[in-house]
Structures are given as C-alpha cells and as structure tokens.
Amino acid sequence: MQRSHIVGILALALLLIACRKDHTTPPPLTPPTSAPTKKVLLKDIVIPHLPSPYYHFEYNSDSLTTSIDFASGFSFYDVIYKGNTIAELRNNIIVNHDTLRYLYDNTGKLFMITFINQSNVLYRHVNFTYDGDQVKKIEWDHKEGDVGFLIDRSATFTYHPDGNVKTITDRRPAHEGSPETIITDQFEQYDDKVNVDDFSLIHDTYHDHLFLLQGFRLQKNNPTKEIFSAGPGNLAYTVDYTYTYNSDKSPAAKTGNLVYTDGSDVGKRFTTNTYYSYYQ
C-alpha cells in the first residue's frame, strides 16, 4: 500500500473520531439546590393600651398553628387538624369551652364553621360564599329560641386586581330596637411585603369568637391607607400607615396617622402603633 493511501486512511479515522467526540452528549448538569423558603411564624401582635399580647400564636414542628391566645387570656384556642387542614378550634378557658368546627365541601373549600357549646348545643353558624378562590361573602347567624337561626352579621368583599381586599361592607340588622348598621372599610395603596394579620379584619374582638382563615386570604400584602365609615354623621376616619420591615419582608411595626372625618371627633388626629414579633 502506498504511503499516501495510509496517510489518507489515518486522516479519515482521526476525522471520524473527532466528529464522534463533537457529537457526544455532555453529562447532564445538576441544577443548584435552592434553600427552602423560610416560613414566617408570627408570635405576638402587641398594640399599646390593649391587653398584651393582643394575639399570641404557637406552632408545631410542621409550622402549623397549635394554639392562639387572644387579649392575654380572654380567649385561648387549641387548634385541631385533620392532615394539614383545620378541623376545630377549641376554646379552653374556665368560663367557655366552645368548639368551632370547620366544614368543607367536596372541592375542599371551607363552607361553614359551626359554634358548639360545652353542652354540645350548636348555637351559631358562619357561612362562606366564594367567587373562584376569593371569598365574596361571610354570614353569621345565631339560634333564636324556637324561631331557628337568624342572621346577625354579614360581610361582603371586593378586591383589587392583585387579590388584596379593597372593601369590606359589614352589615348588622336591626335588633331589639337598635337600627341596622352598615360599616364600610376600604384599603388602598398596598405594599409588596408579607401580610400576617388579615384574619383580624373580620374578628369582632370581644363580641365573638376568633377564627383562622383556611384556604383563602383577604390580604397578601399590607395597605398603606384605610378609609373607615359607619355612615353619615357616625364615626369615620382615614388612616395612613407606614411600616418597618424585617429582612424576610414581614412587618416589624406599623404606625398609623389617623384623622377623624365624621362624627363627634371630626378633625381630631392621633397616632396608632402595632408591633409584630416572630419565631426564628
């Protein structure tokens, strides 16, 4: 065989080897492992001049709320779960052992909470109506002797496009000589940080049981403006809020500049403060 043929064959072999190497699939790259998102575990909400802490939360190792203390022992709830879903809140103070039982429809949405006293008597319902995943209406009723259950409160909600609540209209029907009341609460100019206290928007403080929201949110972020009105000639005010934040975007403190816009104190101003603490 001539030398030129041998050189040609070797050159062809080297070319084929090079081409095979060029088309070899490189080993897959392992994507970097991202750190798990840290859950924001609210511990206390403190509001000066109110029982302290105003709200206190405890959690289990899965970051599920296990107990809630309202107004420094005014109410104390044990939270019972079925899986990761709230099944019951049980008030555990000397003078009240009511159970708040959560009921879900066949799609998994919370549609009712029943209030049952320690004598196992069901005396109140809270009913939830939705538009998609947003709650649009909540109604409270109570047992009225042999008449049955009568609605004593209803709240309807509208939302901003980002999913934060815009207005809450809270209606209380006339009762025992008291006229019907309609309260509107409007929230504007939301920030882009984490909200931790939207459950308090529908808590009737000392007049009714607290319950946790399950499966929906009213506020994902924090409003920097609130406009409240109980109707012409009644209490009305506007609050401008400013916040300080932690590194995880949770609020550390909220300061409100409140001015009365109607009612007997129209024109008066004062400052509100709320402080938040968390488990590390």
Side-chain angles (χ1 to χ4, degrees):
M1 183 180 292
Q2 295 182 1
R3 180 180 176 84
S4 60
H5 289 168
I6 295 173
V7 172
I9 292 171
L10 289 174
L12 178 61
L14 290 172
L15 178 62
L16 291 173
I17 292 171
C19 290
R20 189 175 298 117
K21 287 183 178 179
D22 288 344
H23 289 85
T24 300
T25 302
L29 296 176
T30 302
T33 303
S34 57
T37 302
K38 181 181 176 182
K39 292 187 177 180
V40 176
L41 300 181
L42 177 64
K43 183 178 182 181
D44 292 326
I45 298 178
V46 173
I47 303 174
H49 312 300
L50 293 178
S52 184
Y54 199 56
Y55 295 104
H56 172 78
F57 297 84
E58 295 184 2
Y59 303 84
N60 64 16
S61 59
D62 293 325
S63 300
L64 297 175
T65 305
T66 56
S67 65
I68 315 158
D69 185 341
F70 167 64
S72 191
F74 182 85
S75 296
F76 185 92
Y77 302 92
D78 294 316
V79 187
I80 311 302
Y81 290 86
K82 184 176 182 180
N84 292 334
T85 302
I86 297 174
E88 293 181 346
L89 269 64
R90 298 175 184 170
N91 198 17
N92 190 19
I93 61 174
I94 293 175
V95 297
N96 189 291
H97 292 89
D98 288 354
T99 294
L100 280 61
R101 186 163 295 152
Y102 283 53
L103 304 176
Y104 300 86
D105 65 18
N106 56 11
T107 69
K109 283 184 178 177
L110 174 68
F111 76 91
M112 181 184 292
I113 299 175
T114 58
F115 291 18
I116 305 166
N117 66 23
Q118 62 185 1
S119 299
N120 202 34
V121 175
L122 192 162
Y123 70 91
R124 190 162 181 71
H125 302 92
V126 184
N127 296 283
F128 300 83
T129 304
Y130 297 85
D131 181 3
D133 292 328
Q134 292 179 336
V135 67
K136 298 295 289 185
K137 188 174 186 178
I138 303 176
E139 289 183 321
W140 291 255
D141 66 26
H142 69 282
K143 190 173 184 180
E144 186 72 29
D146 296 330
V147 176
F149 287 87
L150 302 178
I151 293 173
D152 54 35
R153 181 187 177 193
S154 65
T156 55
F157 306 86
T158 66
Y159 296 85
H160 292 283
D162 63 3
N164 286 302
V165 72
K166 180 177 183 180
T167 60
I168 302 175
T169 303
D170 199 331
R171 292 179 171 85
R172 315 287 177 114
H175 180 67
E176 295 183 351
S178 299
E180 179 187 40
T181 62
I182 301 177
I183 295 171
T184 59
D185 213 354
Q186 183 172 332
F187 302 91
E188 301 288 348
Q189 301 171 21
Y190 281 85
D191 63 16
D192 60 354
K193 307 299 192 297
V194 178
N195 177 279
V196 296
D197 61 356
D198 62 339
F199 66 90
S200 66
L201 295 177
I202 53 175
H203 179 208
D204 203 11
T205 60
Y206 302 100
H207 306 294
D208 207 352
H209 280 301
L210 161 73
F211 58 82
L212 294 179
L213 309 184
Q214 176 69 57
F216 66 89
R217 295 295 308 273
L218 296 175
Q219 292 176 329
K220 299 180 293 182
N221 310 113
N222 304 291
T224 60
K225 192 175 192 67
E226 179 181 1
I227 303 167
F228 177 95
S229 175
N234 296 310
L235 174 66
Y237 58 79
T238 298
V239 194
D240 292 307
Y241 294 112
T242 57
Y243 298 84
T244 59
Y245 304 98
N246 299 309
S247 58
D248 60 2
K249 296 186 177 181
S250 60
K254 175 173 70 173
T255 300
N257 179 16
L258 184 149
V259 57
Y260 290 105
T261 56
D262 204 346
S264 58
D265 291 323
V266 62
K268 291 184 179 179
R269 297 176 177 269
F270 72 92
T271 300
T272 67
N273 291 287
T274 304
Y275 303 99
Y276 307 86
S277 64
Y278 303 86
Y279 292 95
Q280 302 302 314

